[in-house]
């Protein structure tokens, strides 16, 4: 088990890209993990290589892509089916894949076990979490305990964005990598639920109207406003 090595859950979105930069700033060796679970739009997966290519390479290890078809098969959500994004009866948006982050972190730990990586870094955030219960800090902490017991390891789960606003996440990127990293996040990460890569905004590509674009745009406005 390498004490100074990390596995980053890297979807290709803004949050996980910032987490990747955060991990490269702290750990001597960093590997990345993405999941293909039949997302309706594969844009996020497609931008992962482009973003990784902008990072200094000395500490950046291999990328892993795991197929989790079963997750898509059991999900009735707007991300995996051709359905409009809306709020469901339980107050959760229908983009919610039940337990998705629990599944992701469990597979991440299994891979980290095999790769000898002690630290697992993920972009869950309770501040703008859209009500997703598996993004909550308590869920992550409980899962760390369960994974360590169940795998007889001492993994440390890091969620550097947990208490940050979306504006703070842009500011963190600037702190970590200056204007170059902010530009890389704008150009080579993807957040839009509709998979739109044709409309370019100051904050990056997207339809500009879906809930994910809305959050990203508001965060950018908050970030820019504070810099003026
Ligand atoms: Zn959008």
């Amino acid at each position: 088990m390498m004490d100074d090595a990390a596995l980053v859950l890297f979807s290709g979105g803004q949050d996980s890209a910032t987490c990747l930069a955060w991990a490269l700033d702290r750990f001597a060796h960093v590997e990345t993990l993405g999941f293909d679970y039949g997302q309706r739009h594969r844009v996020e997966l497609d931008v992962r290589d482009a973003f990784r290519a902008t990072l200094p390479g000395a500490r950046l290890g291999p990328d892993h892509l795991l197929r989790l078809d079963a997750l898509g098969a059991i999900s009735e959500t707007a991300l995996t089916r051709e359905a409009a994004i809306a709020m469901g009866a339980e107050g959760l948006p229908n983009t919610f894949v039940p337990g998705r982050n629990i599944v992701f972190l469990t597979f991440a730990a299994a891979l980290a076990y095999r790769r000898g990586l002690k630290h697992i870094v993920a972009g869950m955030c309770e501040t703008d979490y859209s009500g997703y219960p598996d993004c909550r800090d308590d869920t992550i902490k409980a899962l760390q305990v369960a994974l360590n017991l169940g795998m007889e390891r001492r993994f440390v789960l890091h969620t550097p964005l947990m208490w940050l606003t979306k504006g703070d996440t842009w500011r963190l990127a600037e702190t970590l990598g200056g204007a170059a990293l902010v530009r890389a996040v704008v150009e080579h990460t993807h957040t839009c639920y509709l998979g739109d890569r044709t409309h370019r905004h100051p904050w990056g590509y997207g339809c500009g109207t879906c809930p994910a674009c809305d959050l990203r745009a508001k965060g950018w406005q908050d970030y820019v406003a504070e810099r003026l």
Side-chain angles (χ1 to χ4, degrees):
M1 180 75 78
M2 290 181 279
D3 279 345
D4 206 16
L7 179 65
V8 179
L9 275 73
F10 177 49
S11 69
Q14 177 191 352
D15 289 350
S16 67
T18 306
C19 285
L20 175 52
W22 181 91
L24 286 166
D25 189 52
R26 271 160 189 78
F27 302 108
H29 176 81
V30 177
E31 301 186 7
T32 53
L33 169 61
F35 295 102
D36 180 352
Y37 56 99
Q39 295 94 318
R40 210 166 77 178
H41 303 290
R42 302 179 48 85
V43 180
E44 278 199 13
L45 293 180
D46 294 339
V47 299
R48 295 170 78 253
D49 287 342
F51 182 78
R52 275 177 53 101
T54 70
L55 300 168
R59 297 177 166 193
L60 189 58
D63 180 42
H64 310 271
L65 190 63
L66 280 182
R67 288 187 59 172
L68 287 182
D69 297 17
L71 200 58
I74 60 171
S75 299
E76 288 283 353
T77 81
L79 289 187
T80 51
R81 303 284 168 89
E82 294 291 332
I85 294 165
M87 295 303 286
E90 289 148 354
L92 291 169
N94 63 351
T95 49
F96 175 59
V97 179
R100 183 178 62 177
N101 289 319
I102 296 171
V103 174
F104 284 177
L105 284 165
T106 303
F107 273 92
L111 180 66
Y113 186 106
R114 297 296 298 269
R115 301 286 302 164
L117 311 169
K118 179 186 175 85
H119 301 275
I120 297 169
V121 183
M124 291 82 185
C125 173
E126 193 164 312
T127 312
D128 292 313
Y129 75 140
S130 308
Y132 294 7
D134 57 345
C135 288
R136 286 188 292 214
D137 196 43
D138 284 355
T139 304
I140 306 301
K141 285 180 163 61
L143 199 53
Q144 174 173 304
V145 174
L147 291 169
N148 283 329
L149 286 172
M151 296 190 190
E152 196 63 49
R153 276 291 184 272
R154 192 65 190 96
F155 295 120
V156 183
L157 269 51
H158 302 265
T159 51
L161 310 185
M162 184 57 75
W163 307 109
L164 302 189
T165 64
K166 291 293 176 202
D168 292 335
T169 301
W170 286 110
R171 280 184 279 275
L172 176 60
E174 185 181 310
T175 303
L176 289 167
L181 181 60
V182 172
R183 201 173 324 123
V185 172
V186 167
E187 292 296 334
H188 302 300
T189 71
H190 190 86
T191 308
C192 176
Y193 282 146
L194 303 182
D196 186 325
R197 290 296 285 180
T198 58
H199 297 93
R200 171 67 157 76
H201 311 268
W203 43 264
Y205 294 91
C207 70
T209 54
C210 76
C213 282
D214 194 44
L215 262 185
R216 181 161 165 151
K218 283 183 177 147
W220 176 262
Q221 282 151 17
D222 171 33
Y223 164 63
V224 172
E226 195 170 283
R227 295 179 85 243
L228 292 176

